[in-house]
Amino acid sequence: MHVFVNVQCILQFFCYRKNNLAMAPIFEYCSFLLIAFTCMLTFMGEPSAALQVFQPSPWALAHATFYGDETASATMGGACGYGNLFQNGYGTDTVALSSTLFNNGYSCGNCYQIKCYQSSACYGNVPYVTVTATNLCPPNWAEASDNGGWCNPPRAHFDMSKPVFMKFAQWKAGIVPVMYRRVACGRKGGIRFSFQGNGYWLLVYVMNVGGVGDISSMSVKGSRTRWISMSHNWGASYQAFATLGGQSISFRITSYTNKQTIYAWNVAPSNWNVGLTYSANVNFH
């Protein structure tokens, strides 16, 4: 994004200088340069869609509970596959989604603003908390959906880590009504890819996704292969049954929410290994 803006400014300055020297068809010339450069960026893997900024959704009603204790140790791992949430940058401001919201794992990485709503347990000086979806709150069919089975379909429900629940409500309340909305995820740095698998099967956990926070599809490309479509495994993981050893690895990532596509070129070097995490220099916004 910054590269595009800088070069665009250079082109505009160049056009201004030439315009002062001669009132020829300079605008046509400069327009050609700008269009050509935009096309070159797209060809090189920087589609203009990646420059879009995700906008918050409307507020909606739901309920929230919490699980685990103040250490948030029970939130580690989880159905999205993010592993140690402290090491991977998510911390304790996380939430498990009811299956209706979880959407078979395609909501992993979504960010929400949640505010306690019309309850005596709410802290009036806290407008909202911001959380990331890292886990699934499974249905409890043994309990009624309004009495224990809070995550049963079709309920929209948030099972929060105890530390983040305690930021906006008295934890002894157990459950509180809330209002929530999707917001852009503010992440530092690029998307991260944690590699698992073996020489014939690459399993990738996708983390630190900014903007929309979610992924609908991915493709992988070795330095000696074409683009290979990856299938959704579970949560935030994607897999390819291919031999990619000894090749540098690139990814093409499409968001679930707004279908933006970005390219992460040469994320992993040719001597990559499973068990390691590699960072890209691109992200959604």
Side-chain angles (χ1 to χ4, degrees), residues 22-255:
M23 299 300 291
I26 297 302
F27 289 115
E28 295 180 10
Y29 178 69
C30 293
S31 297
F32 170 77
L33 286 178
L34 191 54
I35 293 170
F37 182 75
T38 303
C39 292
M40 181 180 70
L41 277 185
T42 303
F43 178 77
M44 292 174 63
E46 297 287 347
S48 58
L51 304 179
Q52 298 176 12
V53 176
F54 178 68
Q55 299 299 319
S57 68
W59 290 97
L61 291 170
H63 284 79
T65 51
F66 65 88
Y67 68 113
D69 57 21
E70 287 86 346
T71 68
S73 59
T75 68
M76 297 300 108
C80 291
Y82 293 142
N84 188 307
L85 301 179
F86 294 108
Q87 292 179 0
N88 291 318
Y90 295 101
T92 61
D93 291 350
T94 62
V95 66
L97 302 177
S98 61
S99 55
T100 298
L101 292 174
F102 191 69
N103 192 23
N104 292 321
Y106 287 110
S107 294
C108 285
N110 284 174
C111 294
Y112 300 88
Q113 286 178 347
I114 304 177
K115 55 185 177 182
C116 192
Y117 181 67
Q118 293 186 343
S119 169
S120 59
C122 298
Y123 294 143
N125 62 338
V126 181
Y128 56 79
V129 294
T130 303
V131 296
T132 303
T134 61
N135 204 354
L136 166 68
C137 179
N140 182 0
W141 301 113
E143 302 291 344
S145 61
D146 60 351
N147 187 22
W150 307 119
C151 293
N152 295 353
R155 291 181 67 102
H157 188 83
F158 297 90
D159 202 12
M160 309 170 75
S161 76
K162 189 174 182 179
V164 74
F165 186 93
M166 292 171 65
K167 288 181 179 180
F168 78 167
Q170 300 173 32
W171 68 269
K172 290 184 179 180
I175 181 170
V176 293
V178 298
M179 295 190 72
Y180 73 96
R181 65 175 180 174
R182 283 275 311 278
V183 294
C185 299
R187 302 294 179 208
K188 294 181 179 180
I191 298 175
R192 295 201 293 266
F193 305 87
S194 179
F195 284 20
Q196 300 295 331
N198 53 48
Y200 307 97
W201 170 56
L202 179 63
L203 178 66
V204 179
Y205 291 92
V206 189
M207 299 179 290
N208 201 53
V209 181
V212 289
D214 53 30
I215 302 294
S216 70
S217 62
M218 281 179 56
S219 296
V220 60
K221 185 183 185 307
S223 50
R224 298 192 301 271
T225 74
R226 57 178 177 78
W227 284 107
I228 300 168
S229 179
M230 305 181 76
S231 59
H232 183 216
N233 184 286
W234 179 250
S237 66
Y238 289 80
Q239 62 188 0
F241 294 91
T243 303
L244 295 166
Q247 303 178 60
S248 60
I249 303 296
S250 302
F251 293 103
R252 180 172 61 201
I253 312 105
T254 299
S255 71

